[in-house]
Amino acid sequence: MDSTVADTSAEGIAADLALAIHEHRLPPATKLSEDEVGEVYGVSRTVVRAALQRLSHERLVDLKRNRGAYVAQPGVREAREVFEARALLEPRTARSAAERITPADLALLQRHIDEEHNALAKGEPGRALYLSGRFHVEIARIADQDTIADFIGQLVARSSLVIAVYWQRRGALCESHAHHALLQAMAAHDGALAEELMKAHLLDLLTSLDLRNRVSPPGSLREALGT
Amino acid sequence: MDSTVADTSAEGIAADLALAIHEHRLPPATKLSEDEVGEVYGVSRTVVRAALQRLSHERLVDLKRNRGAYVAQPGVREAREVFEARALLEPRTARSAAERITPADLALLQRHIDEEHNALAKGEPGRALYLSGRFHVEIARIADQDTIADFIGQLVARSSLVIAVYWQRRGALCESHAHHALLQAMAAHDGALAEELMKAHLLDLLTSLDLRNRVSPPGSLREALGT
DNA sequence: GCATTCATCATCGTATACAATTTTGTTCTG
DNA sequence: CAGAACAAAATTGTATACGATGATGAATGC
């Protein structure tokens, strides 16, 4: 009855829930009852609370006092702000990354793109979305900026929530082209181009959203994580 | 024997500890024992743990498994990264703020600068440092970017730790000039100038650091918060 | 005399119990 | 039948108890 996840620490559970949210297995507004999560992972409410508090701080869950934890539902303002923050952080970071990228890094990014393709082919769009987000974080890591990478990681996860709520191009989440072009620019150590491509990529993402509050129905915790 | 703080929720305690850290009343490496903090605020370890976890996530305290919580001591790498992240976020945000600032906002910022002066005059450099940090956060709020304001708030607090460890210009923390110049540029709605001034200001801060690990001795919790 | 080992102690990690709050369902009244 | 008031249930907030882990210091062997 327990989850298949080995790490039942607060961080492990938080990471697993974050992944489920990121992959859209736990849609916005899903209630995360402490008892229920505790049963799923086989731990007491104490550690579940720690995990939920962590996710709340990352703005992935909304913690309502005396009323429980829910997967966050970013509003239009937050949706815009998240992408505006990314627009400040990522283009310049992509430039840095392009200037210092190594062959090993290039291979890693290529592998990321391939996995993303495979996930899409296997009909796992949530997984593909997650991998596509990791691509952005990986770039910050290549730029040797762990602090910025952390921020981007948070923003990418929140972007996934935004996409869950406001995405309009149903089915077609074809970021691969943009990522491939970025990879090319970085392989050529063309920092200026990488910066421009990243800027355009983020703008493209933002304009693909329909910010007139389209809401998807909340899901079930047990359904998403397996009984 | 309890603290004078009214709000004994986890968030309230976290905020109070964050303030103490920001104002250098709790220097880096100070041990924050769960029992001790609990006694100071008159709550059980449960709520203290929640507060410490929150601060840990903000990188203000270092949570060592089975060994306790300590006020963080940023290394040289983190010190550099924090200011590099600020350099990406703040100049453009200052430009936005300059373009949309209102007379009420200007008055608020002026009041901030005055309070900062007063604190310095009263021999409360920690308080002045905190207020100077709030000035930066306030700019992001004026730019109407709450998400970025959150990030800057975190970075400013971490900057305070960096300053506690690496500041070399002993005594002279004369940011007021830079802040005054920024205020002037914003009053004139000169976004380009505000952006440049902010960039220079951050660079100035960074170059004022001596990144050859100078460490101040850890302090006492009770001493800092009053028995 | 110094290093190593082991016992003791302090502190943290987790579970559980109970109190407080909210929600829900029922009943009564207009 | 609609609405309000109340009672019951469910859920979260907090405290406490106990087990686990790492630090400290004394005793032992070399």
Side-chain angles (χ1 to χ4, degrees), chain A residues 32-152:
Chain A
L32 302 175
S33 151
E34 295 181 355
D35 277 327
E36 201 173 357
V37 176
E39 282 175 33
V40 167
Y41 290 99
V43 295
S44 82
R45 283 176 48 219
T46 308
V47 47
V48 173
R49 283 180 69 80
L52 291 177
Q53 277 166 358
R54 186 191 186 103
L55 292 173
S56 159
H57 195 256
E58 285 173 20
R59 310 269 190 169
L60 295 185
V61 315
D62 197 3
L63 222 49
K64 302 179 183 176
R65 187 179 177 88
N66 279 317
R67 300 197 345 187
Y70 299 81
V71 177
Q73 263 190 309
V76 286
R77 180 194 168 105
E78 181 177 345
R80 223 186 326 101
E81 287 195 354
V82 163
F83 280 94
E84 280 165 359
R86 292 184 64 175
L88 289 190
L89 291 173
E90 298 201 51
R92 292 279 292 274
T93 302
R95 175 192 284 254
S96 279
E99 289 165 356
R100 52 163 55 230
I101 198 165
T102 68
D105 293 326
L106 282 169
L108 179 74
L109 287 182
Q110 183 60 59
R111 206 154 53 239
H112 248 288
I113 292 179
D114 293 342
E115 280 187 46
E116 194 182 328
H117 266 130
N118 289 341
L120 263 183
K122 281 196 290 184
E124 299 174 342
R127 180 92 196 140
L129 179 61
Y130 167 74
L131 290 168
S132 132
R134 292 298 308 173
F135 184 86
H136 287 252
V137 178
E138 211 47 56
I139 287 174
R141 197 198 51 74
I142 289 168
D144 205 35
Q145 293 282 355
D146 290 348
T147 299
I148 291 172
D150 275 358
F151 284 140
I152 292 177

Side-chain angles (χ1 to χ4, degrees), chain B residues 195-211:
Chain B
E195 181 172 346
E196 279 311 310
L197 286 173
M198 180 63 88
K199 200 186 294 185
H201 176 39
L202 290 172
L203 200 64
D204 183 47
L205 278 177
L206 181 56
T207 55
S208 299
L209 300 175
D210 177 6
L211 292 185

